[in-house]
Amino acid sequence: MGFCYNQLAGHLHDYPVTSVERLLQYEKPLEAVRSHWMVEQDVDLEAEFDRVIHEWGHEEPESGMDTPGMS
């Protein structure tokens, strides 16, 4: 949802007024655009989650992240 918010807020002037007006007709416009955007991404979220979990530990931890067992 953060990505969608940042895109809309940062580039609102780039979108046609009619598109923005149509979006504002929804009770929750940000959720509506996020849901539609996720469908359009055609990403298998379960497979993507599994990939991240399986790769965890095979890469260097990102700086600033707490690593269990590390002091």
Side-chain angles (χ1 to χ4, degrees), residues 8-42:
L8 284 171
H11 304 279
L12 190 60
H13 61 279
D14 294 337
Y15 303 115
V17 172
T18 54
S19 295
V20 175
E21 287 174 343
R22 190 173 332 118
L23 182 60
L24 291 174
Q25 292 176 357
Y26 288 91
E27 182 178 339
K28 296 181 178 183
L30 186 56
E31 287 184 22
V33 75
R34 186 236 13 196
S35 294
H36 186 73
W37 181 78
M38 290 296 293
V39 168
E40 292 294 319
Q41 297 311 299
D42 194 29

Side-chain angles (χ1 to χ4, degrees), residues 42-55:
D42 194 29
V43 173
D44 181 349
L45 295 177
E46 185 175 336
E48 218 22 49
F49 182 85
D50 290 347
R51 181 190 62 78
V52 168
I53 294 298
H54 285 103
E55 290 179 359

